[in-house]
C-alpha cells in the first residue's frame, strides 16, 4: 500500500524455537507478571481460526506459569476482519445474493450477454441458474480479494485487454444483481466488504493491532489494516530471523522474487522425505511413525494433511495403530443420517414415485418412527421384506399404486399409509413449514438421551437444520418464483455443506491443514500429501481469471502461493532443526485411482549440483511398505442344515443337475435373491403373464375348435390386458410399458399359430394338468401347460410354453455337451448321442411323458415339445422333440431316478462353478462357491453315494431297458 504509515512496525522471531510459544511471549512482553495478563485492547490478526484457538490456549498456559489469569486479545483472521462490513442487518446474506443472481439469470435476454454465455443452455431452469449464480458469486469473492468489483476488471486490465467486452457484460449482470437486492432493501455483501475496507472501524477499546505470522493475507485486508494504522499502532510479527528481512515485504508476506529460486534447507532430507506408493501406503507409514510414541503421542508428534483426500485413510491408519485423531475442521453433514432422511423426504415431495418410497423406507429414523407408530409387534425386517415383495410382484409406479396393491389392514399397508401421511404433509402449505411438519410426524414421539453420542449428534444435526430453515423462512417471501422442490435443493445443499464439530478426546492427535502447521509446536511433525499442485497450491485453467489476468489485477497468483508455501516449508524445517526436532514429509507416487503424481516442486528447491541426486531420489521406483496379504473373506456361509425334501417340482430337478448346492439353497432353504431396485419384469414374471392368457384360451371350451385368428387374438389380448391391470394397475413405468407391448405382440402371433394348428387337426385336450410321480421315495410334482390330441392319428402331444427371448429347441434345452470338468459325474447323468458325449441338463419333457403313461386313456403314440414365444415374433411356433423316443426316455428316467436318490440321500455338495452373469447367488460366492462356504458344512459319504448310483444303473439294465448297454457305466443310445 503506498504511503505506508510510520505506525506500522515489523518484528522478527527466531527460527530456533516454535512460533506458538514465542508469539505468546511477544504479546506479553510488557507484562510484569502482576495481576492478570490483559490483552483485551489488542486486535490480533492470525491466518486461520485454528491458529487463533492455539494462540489463546498458549496465552492461557503462559499466564498460568505465573499463576495468573489472562484477558485474551480479540482474535480475527483477515477474512473475519473484512466480514465486519457484512454484519449490518441491511447487508444481504450469501443465500439472498445467490437467489438474486438466480432471478437475474432467469429473466435476462441471453443475447444481451452473448460473450459471457455464447451457447444457450439446453434447459434454462432453476438448477442451471443456481449453479451459474454460484459461479458468479465465487468470481465476486475472488475479485474482492483485491477490492475489485466485476465492473473494475476491464479498466484495471488495460486498454489492450481482449476480453473487455466479456467483462463489460459481466459488469452489467452484476449491476442487475445489485439492483435486484436493492429492490429488497439489501446491499450486495461483497460491496459492503469493500466499503468497510475503505473506512474501517475498530471495536471500542482496541488500541493496538498485531499481525502475527500472517504470510498470505488478502490484499484487501492489508489495505484495511493500513487504514487502521492511521489510528492505532500496527505491529507485523514475522516468524523468521531478522537476517531474512529482505525476503519479506512490509506486511510480512514472502516476496516471490526472494523465494522462487531459493534453496530450501531440509536437514538430512533423504532420511525424512518419504516416497510412498499411493495415498493408502502414505497414510499407513505416517500412522506407524506416529504410533512409535505410543498412547502419549499428543504433544510429541503432530500430523499435517496437505491432501484432504488422505484424511479418512489417515484416520483409519491411526485407529488401527491404537491412536485417536481429531479433525478441527469438522465433518460435512452430507454424510450424516439426517441428511439421508431429508434427501429421501425431498424426493418424496418432488414426486411420490415408488423409488422415493423405497428410499425413505430404508432410513433408520423412518423405521424407528414406524415401529413407534405401529406398536411393539411392528417389525422393520418384515416391513422391508413385504415392501420388496410388493415391488417384485406388482412393480408399482408410485405410492398410490403401491397402496392399492397392498392388503388393507396389514403391516405393509400401515407402513405405506404412514408414507402417505408424510407425502400429504410435504405437499401442503409452503416450504419450510411443510418440511418441518413432515419431520414432526417422524420425530414427535422420539425421545433423545443427550448423554448418548448418537442421540447427541442427532440433536445437534436437528439444530443445524432448524437454522437452515430459519434462514430460508426469512427470505422466502422475497423470492416467490422459487418452487418447493427448488427450496429443498437449496436447503439440502446448505445443510450438507455445513460442518459438525466433534469433541476432542484427551490425547487425540489433531489432523491439521497445511496452513495451520506454522502454529504447531510438537517436536516431530509429519506432513502427508506433499505433491505438486497441493504444495505449492496452484490454480490452473480458471475460465474467468487466468494467471496473467490475476497478476494484472493484483490478486493472489501462483507465484505468491509458491513463495508462501516455500516459506512455510522452510520455517517448519528450521524450527525443528535442533536437537529433538524432526520434520517428516510424505508424498505418493500414484493417486488412489492409479494416476501418476509428481512430488512437490519445493522438494527440488536445492543447489544446482544437488538437483540430479534429488531427482533420482524423488522419482525412483518404489514398492508399498504395507503388507500385501492375499485376498481373504471376511466370513463364510454356514447354511442352516435341514433334512432333504420329501417333495420337489419337476423344474427343481433341473436345478439339482445344474448345481446340487444351489438346489439346496433355493429348494430346501427357500432362499431367493431380492432386487430392491426392480423396475421391470424378470423372465419368470414375463412368462407367468403370458401363461395366464394362454391358459385361459386353452381352458375355454368354445375356443378349442376355433380357427379364427382374430377371435383368438382378441381373446388372448383381452385376458392379458385384464391380468396386467389387475397386477400392475393402470399406470406403468416405461420399462413395463415396453415389456407389456412385447408380450402383446408375442400373444398376437401365438393366436395365428394356434388357429393354424387347430386347422391341421390338433385339439387342446387338457390345460394346466397337474401330476405327481414317485421316484425312489421322492415325490415329483408338475403341471403340464397343455396336452393336445390329433383328431385323425390319435397322437397326443405335450407342450410347454416358453417365453424366453430366444427360441431354444427341446433337445438343446435338455442336454449339453460333456465338458472337461464333468469326468466325476455319475454315469446316469451322461449319455451318448450320434457318437458324442452329452450330459443331462433338464428332465422336464421326458418326465411329462412319463406322467402321461399313468393315464389309461392316454395310451398310444406321444410327442413332446415347446410352444415358443420368443422376442423375434417371426420365430413363434410349436417345436416338437422327434428324438424323444423310448431309448432316450429310458436314459432320462435313469437320470431322474438318480437325481431323486441323491436328493433323498442329502447329496448337495460339492457346488459347481457358474458364471456370475448366470448365477442368482453370485453375490454370495466371491471368488468361487466352494471357497465361500464353511469347511465341513456338509460331508457326504461318497463311497456309499457311488454304490447307490451303481445299484440304480444296474437296476435299469436288469429291467431290460431297450437299447441300453453297460458301456463303462454310461447308457449308450444308437
Amino acid at each position: 500500500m503506498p504511503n505506508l504509515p510510520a505506525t506500522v512496525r515489523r518484528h522478527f522471531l527466531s527460527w530456533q524455537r516454535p512460533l506458538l510459544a514465542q508469539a505468546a511471549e511477544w504479546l506479553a512482553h510488557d507484562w510484569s507478571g502482576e495481576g492478570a495478563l490483559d490483552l483485551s485492547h489488542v486486535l490480533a490478526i492470525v491466518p486461520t481460526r485454528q491458529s487463533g484457538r492455539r494462540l489463546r490456549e498458549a496465552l492461557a498456559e503462559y499466564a498460568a506459569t505465573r499463576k495468573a489469569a489472562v484477558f485474551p486479545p480479540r482474535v480475527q483472521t483477515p477474512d473475519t476482519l473484512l466480514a465486519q462490513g457484512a454484519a449490518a442487518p441491511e447487508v444481504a446474506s450469501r443465500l439472498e445474493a445467490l437467489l438474486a443472481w438466480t432471478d437475474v439469470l432467469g429473466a435476462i435476454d441471453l443475447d444481451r450477454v452473448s460473450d459471457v454465455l455464447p451457447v444457450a443452455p439446453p434447459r434454462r431452469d432453476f438448477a442451471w441458474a443456481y449453479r451459474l449464480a454460484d459461479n458468479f458469486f465465487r468470481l465476486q469473492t475472488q475479485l474482492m480479494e483485491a477490492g475489485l468489483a466485476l465492473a473494475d476488471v476491464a479498466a484495471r486490465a488495460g486498454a489492450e485487454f481482449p476480453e473487455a467486452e466479456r467483462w463489460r457484460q459481466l459488469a452489467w449482470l452484476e449491476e442487475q444483481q445489485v439492483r435486484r437486492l436493492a429492490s429488497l432493501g439489501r446491499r450486495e455483501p461483497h460491496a459492503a466488504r469493500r466499503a468497510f475496507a475503505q473506512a474501517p472501524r475498530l471495536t471500542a477499546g482496541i488500541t493496538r493491532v498485531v499481525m502475527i505470522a500472517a504470510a498470505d493475507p488478502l490484499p484487501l485486508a492489508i489495505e484495511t489494516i493500513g487504514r487502521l494504522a492511521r489510528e492505532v499502532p500496527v505491529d507485523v510479527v514475522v516468524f523468521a530471523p531478522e537476517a531474512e528481512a529482505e525476503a519479506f515485504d512490509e506486511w510480512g508476506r514472502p516476496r516471490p522474487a526472494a523465494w522462487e529460486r531459493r534453496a530450501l534447507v531440509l536437514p538430512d532430507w533423504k532420511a525424512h522425505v518419504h516416497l510412498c506408493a499411493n495415498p493408502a501406503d502414505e497414510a499407513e507409514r505416517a500412522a506407524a511413525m506416529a504410533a512409535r510414541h505410543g498412547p502419549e503421542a499428543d504433544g510429541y508428534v503432530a500430523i499435517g494433511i496437505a491432501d484432504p483426500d488422505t484424511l479418512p485413510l489417515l484416520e483409519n491408519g491411526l485407529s488401527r495403530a491404537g491412536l485417536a485423531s481429531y479433525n478441527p475442521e469438522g465433518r460435512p453433514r452430507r454424510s450424516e443420517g439426517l441428511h439421508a432422511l431429508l434427501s429421501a423426504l425431498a424426493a418424496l415431495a418432488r414426486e411420490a414415485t415408488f423409488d422415493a418410497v423405497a428410499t425413505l423406507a430404508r432410513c433408520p429414523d423412518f423405521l424407528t418412527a414406524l415401529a413407534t407408530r405401529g406398536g411393539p409387534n411392528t417389525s422393520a425386517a418384515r416391513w422391508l421384506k413385504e415392501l420388496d415383495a410388493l415391488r417384485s410382484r406388482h412393480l408399482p409406479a408410485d405410492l398410490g399404486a403401491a397402496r392399492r396393491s397392498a392388503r388393507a389392514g396389514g403391516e405393509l399397508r400401515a407402513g405405506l399409509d404412514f408414507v402417505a401421511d408424510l407425502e400429504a404433509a410435504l405437499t401442503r402449505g409452503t416450504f419450510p413449514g411443510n418440511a418441518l411438519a413432515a419431520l414432526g410426524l417422524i420425530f414427535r414421539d422420539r425421545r433423545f438421551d443427550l448423554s448418548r453420542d448418537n442421540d447427541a449428534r442427532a440433536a445437534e444435526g436437528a439444530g443445524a437444520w432448524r437454522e437452515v430453515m430459519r434462514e430460508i423462512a426469512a427470505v422466502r417471501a422475497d423470492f416467490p418464483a422459487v418452487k418447493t422442490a427448488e427450496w429443498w435443493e437449496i436447503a439440502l445443499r446448505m445443510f450438507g455443506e455445513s460442518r459438525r464439530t466433534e469433541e476432542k478426546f484427551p490425547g487425540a492427535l489433531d489432523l491439521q491443514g497445511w496452513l495451520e502447521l506454522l502454529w504447531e509446536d510438537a517436536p516431530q511433525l509429519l506432513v502427508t500429501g506433499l505433491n505438486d499442485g497441493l504444495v505449492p497450491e496452484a490454480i490452473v485453467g480458471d475460465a474467468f481469471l487466468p494467471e496473467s489476468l490475476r497478476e494484472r489485477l493484483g490478486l493472489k497468483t501462483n507465484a505468491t502461493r509458491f513463495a508462501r508455501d516455500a516459506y512455510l516449508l522452510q520455517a517448519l524445517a528450521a524450527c525443528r532443526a535442533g536437537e529433538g526436532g524432526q520434520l517428516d514429509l510424505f508424498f505418493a507416487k500414484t493417486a488412489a485411482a492409479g494416476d501418476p503424481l509428481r512430488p512437490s516442486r519445493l522438494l527440488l528447491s536445492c543447489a544446482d549440483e544437488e538437483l540430479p541426486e534429488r531427482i533420482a531420489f524423488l522419482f525412483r521406483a518404489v514398492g508399498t511398505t504395507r503388507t500385501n496379504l492375499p485376498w481373504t473373506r471376511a466370513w463364510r456361509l454356514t447354511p442352516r442344515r435341514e433334512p432333504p425334501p420329501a417333495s420337489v417340482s419337476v423344474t427343481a430337478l433341473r436345478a439339482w443337475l445344474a448345481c446340487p448346492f444351489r438346489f439346496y439353497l433355493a429348494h430346501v432353504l427357500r432362499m431367493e435373491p431380492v432386487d430392491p431396485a426392480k423396475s421391470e419384469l424378470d423372465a419368470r414374471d414375463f412368462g407367468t403373464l403370458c401363461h395366464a392368457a394362454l391358459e385361459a384360451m386353452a381352458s375355454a371350451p368354445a375356443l378349442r375348435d376355433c380357427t379364427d385368428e382374430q377371435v383368438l387374438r382378441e381373446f388372448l389380448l383381452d385376458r392379458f390386458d385384464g391380468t396386467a391391470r389387475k397386477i400392475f394397475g393402470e399406470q406403468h413405468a416405461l420399462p413395463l410399458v415396453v415389456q407389456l407391448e412385447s408380450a402383446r405382440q408375442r400373444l398376437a402371433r401365438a393366436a395365428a399359430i394356434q388357429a393354424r394348428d387347430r386347422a391341421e387337426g390338433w385339439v387342446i385336450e387338457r390345460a394346466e394338468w397337474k401330476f405327481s410321480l414317485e421316484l425312489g421315495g421322492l415325490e415329483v410334482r408338475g403341471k403340464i401347460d397343455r396336452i393336445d390330441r390329433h383328431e385323425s392319428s390319435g397322437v397326443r402331444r405335450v407342450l410347454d410354453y416358453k417365453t424366453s427371448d430366444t427360441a431354444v429347441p427341446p433337445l438343446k434345452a435338455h442336454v449339453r455337451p460333456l465338458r472337461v470338468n464333468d469326468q466325476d459325474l455319475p454315469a446316469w447323468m451322461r449319455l451318448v448321442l450320434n457318437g458324442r458325449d452329452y450330459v443331462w441338463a433338464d428332465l422336464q419333457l421326458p418326465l411329462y411323458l412319463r406322467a402321461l403313461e399313468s393315464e389309461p386313456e392316454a395310451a398310444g403314440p406321444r410327442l413332446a415339445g415347446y410352444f415358443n414365444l420368443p422376442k423375434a415374433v417371426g420365430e413363434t411356433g410349436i417345436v416338437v422333440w422327434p428324438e424323444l423316443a423310448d431309448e432316450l426316455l429310458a436314459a432320462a428316467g435313469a437320470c431322474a431316478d438318480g437325481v431323486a436318490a441323491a436328493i433323498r440321500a442329502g447329496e448337495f455338495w460339492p457346488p459347481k462353478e457358474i458364471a456370475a452373469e448366470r448365477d442368482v447367488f453370485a453375490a454370495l460366492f466371491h471368488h468361487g462357491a466352494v471357497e465361500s462356504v464353511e469347511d465341513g458344512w456338509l460331508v457326504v459319504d461318497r463311497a456309499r453315494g457311488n454304490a447307490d448310483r451303481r445299484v440304480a444303473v444296474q437296476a435299469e439294465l436288469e429291467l431290460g431297458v431297450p437299447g441300453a448297454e453297460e458301456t463303462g457305466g454310461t447308457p449308450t443310445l444308437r
Side-chain angles (χ1 to χ4, degrees):
M1 180 178 177
N3 301 320
L4 187 68
T7 52
V8 177
R9 295 167 297 178
R10 286 194 307 175
H11 308 270
F12 294 87
L13 302 179
S14 170
W15 272 346
Q16 302 303 311
R17 297 168 55 205
L19 165 65
L20 190 58
Q22 291 191 78
E25 293 170 5
W26 190 91
L27 284 170
H29 69 275
D30 290 334
W31 180 45
S32 65
E34 297 295 327
L37 172 58
D38 187 2
L39 298 172
S40 59
H41 63 287
V42 175
L43 172 61
I45 306 296
V46 295
T48 64
R49 287 180 299 173
Q50 173 70 354
S51 57
R53 289 192 289 267
R54 297 296 300 272
L55 178 61
R56 285 189 289 267
E57 292 171 359
L59 286 168
E61 291 175 2
Y62 182 79
T65 60
R66 301 190 185 186
K67 299 181 179 180
V70 62
F71 295 101
R74 181 178 179 85
V75 180
Q76 291 184 334
T77 67
D79 289 341
T80 56
L81 173 65
L82 294 174
Q84 294 179 73
E90 72 274 8
V91 177
S93 66
R94 181 177 186 274
L95 175 60
E96 289 175 305
L98 285 172
L99 291 173
W101 269 117
T102 304
D103 279 358
V104 169
L105 292 169
I108 60 169
D109 179 2
L110 294 184
D111 292 337
R112 175 71 174 75
V113 288
S114 58
D115 282 34
V116 178
L117 301 171
V119 179
R123 188 175 179 185
R124 193 176 175 184
D125 56 7
F126 178 84
W128 166 81
Y130 195 78
R131 285 194 301 271
L132 195 56
D134 189 59
N135 289 335
F136 288 157
F137 186 88
R138 283 190 283 110
L139 181 60
Q140 289 175 305
T141 302
Q142 288 177 298
L143 290 171
M144 190 203 66
E145 292 178 3
L148 301 177
L150 297 181
D152 300 323
V153 173
R156 182 74 68 91
E160 302 300 323
F161 183 44
E163 297 259 311
E165 179 57 30
R166 184 187 188 204
W167 281 96
R168 278 192 285 270
Q169 292 178 12
L170 283 168
W172 179 80
L173 284 171
E174 185 179 46
E175 182 183 349
Q176 306 312 304
Q177 184 231 10
V178 171
R179 288 182 177 178
R180 178 69 179 95
L181 288 172
S183 71
L184 304 173
R186 294 285 186 269
R187 291 178 63 197
E188 203 283 318
H190 297 95
R193 285 172 167 83
R194 292 193 299 272
F196 174 80
Q198 294 297 317
R201 299 175 302 279
L202 282 170
T203 304
I206 297 297
T207 62
R208 181 182 174 199
V209 176
V210 180
M211 285 182 62
I212 308 177
D216 189 29
L218 298 176
L220 185 60
I222 292 296
E223 289 187 28
T224 305
I225 297 170
R227 290 187 174 90
L228 292 176
R230 297 168 183 168
E231 303 177 25
V232 296
V234 174
D235 294 294
V236 177
V237 180
V238 182
F239 182 45
E242 194 161 3
E244 298 282 352
E246 293 302 316
F248 300 88
D249 68 8
E250 60 272 18
W251 295 107
R253 296 176 294 187
R255 298 182 187 274
W259 291 91
E260 63 181 352
R261 294 190 178 277
R262 176 168 174 159
L264 303 183
V265 180
L266 302 176
D268 196 12
W269 66 274
K270 277 191 176 181
H272 300 295
V273 174
H274 308 279
L275 171 59
C276 306
N278 48 52
D281 184 37
E282 189 179 1
E284 196 76 19
R285 293 177 65 177
M289 189 172 291
R292 295 174 189 170
H293 296 274
E296 305 300 323
D298 185 33
Y300 295 97
V301 64
I303 299 178
I305 301 176
D307 182 3
D309 291 342
T310 64
L311 177 61
L313 296 170
L314 193 53
E315 287 177 324
N316 291 336
L318 290 169
S319 177
R320 288 193 297 270
L323 297 176
S325 60
Y326 173 71
N327 179 8
E329 291 297 315
R331 301 179 186 279
R333 295 191 186 276
R334 67 173 63 91
S335 60
E336 295 182 356
L338 180 57
H339 189 271
L341 174 66
L342 293 169
S343 299
L345 290 174
L348 188 67
R350 282 192 296 271
E351 186 177 2
T353 64
F354 191 82
D355 282 338
V357 174
T359 300
L360 177 63
R362 284 164 171 78
C363 290
D365 290 319
F366 173 85
L367 293 173
T368 301
L370 183 63
T372 302
R373 177 176 169 130
N377 295 326
T378 303
S379 165
R382 190 165 54 245
W383 148 255
L384 292 175
K385 180 180 179 181
E386 292 181 6
L387 190 68
D388 287 340
L390 176 75
R391 180 171 203 154
S392 179
R393 171 63 176 159
H394 298 284
L395 294 178
D398 54 24
L399 174 60
R403 295 178 72 199
R404 288 190 293 273
S405 300
R407 177 176 57 85
E411 188 170 354
L412 174 63
R413 179 60 180 271
L416 292 172
D417 288 345
F418 183 28
V419 177
D421 291 344
L422 291 172
E423 194 257 347
L426 289 168
T427 53
R428 282 196 301 262
T430 59
F431 190 90
N434 46 23
L436 293 173
L439 287 174
L441 290 176
I442 293 176
F443 291 106
R444 67 183 178 187
D445 296 321
R446 182 93 166 262
R447 297 293 179 266
F448 291 95
D449 181 358
L450 298 184
S451 64
R452 298 172 55 189
D453 290 342
N454 288 341
D455 283 1
R457 282 196 293 269
E460 184 192 11
W465 176 252
R466 281 196 300 271
E467 288 301 316
V468 172
M469 296 293 95
R470 189 174 293 115
E471 185 173 356
I472 288 178
V475 304
R476 190 189 186 287
D478 292 332
F479 299 95
V482 182
K483 300 175 183 176
T484 295
E486 295 159 355
W487 283 120
W488 268 110
E489 181 182 338
I490 294 169
L492 283 172
R493 183 170 179 175
M494 293 172 62
F495 181 70
E497 290 174 350
S498 65
R499 288 181 171 268
R500 172 176 57 84
T501 56
E502 299 176 331
E503 182 180 354
K504 181 181 179 181
F505 294 104
L509 292 173
D510 286 346
L511 303 180
Q512 304 172 78
W514 171 248
L515 298 180
E516 314 280 3
L517 298 181
L518 201 62
W519 293 79
E520 178 54 59
D521 57 356
Q524 182 178 5
L525 177 61
L526 315 177
V527 184
T528 64
L530 214 74
N531 287 99
D532 207 38
L534 298 169
V535 178
E537 182 187 4
I539 296 178
V540 180
D542 191 298
F544 290 102
L545 295 171
E547 185 73 0
S548 59
L549 182 57
R550 286 175 177 273
E551 191 171 348
R552 278 195 271 180
L553 296 177
L555 300 174
K556 293 181 184 179
T557 63
N558 288 337
T560 58
R561 292 186 181 90
F562 181 92
R564 176 200 67 190
D565 290 342
Y567 156 67
L568 290 177
L569 181 58
Q570 183 62 84
L572 294 176
C575 68
R576 290 174 176 81
E579 185 177 353
Q582 183 174 322
L583 174 65
D584 287 276
L585 307 174
F586 299 81
F587 69 95
K589 194 174 183 68
T590 63
D595 301 324
L597 298 175
R598 297 188 303 271
S600 169
R601 285 175 289 160
L602 299 180
L603 297 176
L604 297 171
S605 298
C606 59
D608 290 346
E609 59 270 18
E610 296 179 26
L611 190 57
E613 183 185 6
R614 286 268 179 118
I615 291 175
F617 181 82
L618 297 175
F619 288 90
R620 71 189 188 277
V622 64
T624 178
T625 59
R626 305 176 71 203
T627 304
N628 288 324
L629 299 175
W631 183 88
T632 58
R633 301 170 195 283
W635 47 268
R636 289 189 175 192
L637 288 173
T638 307
R640 185 177 69 252
R641 297 173 187 257
E642 294 288 346
S647 173
V648 297
S649 66
V650 170
T651 54
L653 301 186
R654 178 176 64 217
W656 192 97
L657 289 169
C659 174
F661 181 63
R662 289 174 176 81
F663 167 90
Y664 179 81
L665 297 179
H667 296 278
V668 180
L669 298 185
R670 304 294 181 186
M671 292 176 63
E672 60 180 346
V674 175
D675 180 6
K678 183 177 178 180
S679 60
E680 59 184 13
L681 302 172
D682 57 28
R684 182 172 62 180
D685 296 335
F686 190 87
T688 301
L689 264 181
C690 294
H691 273 62
L694 293 166
E695 177 188 353
M697 180 194 70
S699 301
L703 295 179
R704 290 187 174 182
D705 293 324
C706 181
T707 58
D708 188 327
E709 175 185 343
Q710 183 176 351
V711 172
L712 292 172
R713 181 173 63 250
E714 290 177 355
F715 178 87
L716 285 173
L717 297 183
D718 179 69
R719 286 304 178 95
F720 175 80
D721 291 340
T723 303
R725 282 194 300 271
K726 182 178 179 181
I727 298 176
F728 306 115
E730 299 289 346
Q731 295 180 334
H732 306 143
L734 180 59
L736 182 58
V737 171
V738 173
Q739 288 182 303
L740 294 181
E741 181 57 30
S742 174
R744 297 178 92 256
Q745 292 177 8
R746 299 187 198 194
L747 290 173
R749 180 59 182 164
I753 300 299
Q754 173 60 29
R756 186 183 65 194
D757 197 56
R758 179 63 190 93
E760 292 175 354
W762 289 100
V763 180
I764 300 175
E765 192 173 67
R766 302 182 190 181
E768 301 298 317
W769 182 63
K770 297 180 180 179
F771 68 87
S772 174
L773 295 173
E774 195 277 326
L775 302 178
L778 179 71
E779 181 189 12
V780 178
R781 296 168 284 99
K783 184 168 62 174
I784 300 175
D785 288 340
R786 80 187 228 189
I787 303 172
D788 297 347
R789 177 180 51 81
H790 197 269
E791 288 180 312
S792 58
S793 66
V795 174
R796 282 180 166 77
R797 183 179 63 185
V798 171
L799 291 180
D800 191 66
Y801 297 124
K802 293 295 180 185
T803 55
S804 55
D805 285 349
T806 304
V808 179
L811 176 62
K812 188 176 181 179
H814 283 71
V815 301
R816 62 170 177 80
L818 186 74
R819 302 178 186 134
V820 175
N821 57 354
D822 288 335
Q823 301 307 315
D824 293 335
L825 292 180
W828 41 263
M829 282 185 64
R830 300 164 60 179
L831 70 158
V832 176
L833 289 173
N834 300 323
R836 297 184 61 187
D837 292 323
Y838 288 87
V839 173
W840 284 105
D842 195 357
L843 300 166
Q844 183 184 29
L845 291 182
L847 288 180
Y848 281 2
L849 292 182
R850 185 167 175 174
L852 199 59
E853 291 177 358
S854 62
E855 294 291 304
E857 65 273 18
R862 301 181 304 279
L863 295 173
Y866 291 157
F867 196 140
N868 282 318
L869 292 86
K871 180 184 290 186
V873 293
E875 298 176 7
T876 302
I878 296 173
V879 182
V880 297
W881 189 357
E883 301 92 346
L884 190 57
D886 291 341
E887 298 176 10
L888 196 56
L889 284 171
C895 183
D897 291 336
V899 173
I903 292 173
R904 292 301 296 154
E907 295 185 21
F908 306 124
W909 193 262
K912 296 180 181 178
E913 299 304 337
I914 299 175
E917 60 271 14
R918 296 187 290 106
D919 185 8
V920 296
F921 293 107
L924 301 178
F925 301 147
H926 304 291
H927 290 222
V930 174
E931 296 298 324
S932 300
V933 181
E934 193 63 42
D935 292 337
W937 168 75
L938 184 63
V939 178
V940 179
D941 184 344
R942 300 196 182 282
R944 177 187 173 197
N946 289 334
D948 289 344
R949 295 188 190 103
R950 284 194 295 272
V951 169
V953 174
Q954 186 63 34
E956 291 293 340
L957 294 170
E958 290 176 355
L959 289 173
V961 177
E965 299 174 358
E966 188 170 14
T967 306
T970 303
T972 302
L973 303 172
R974 296 188 180 88

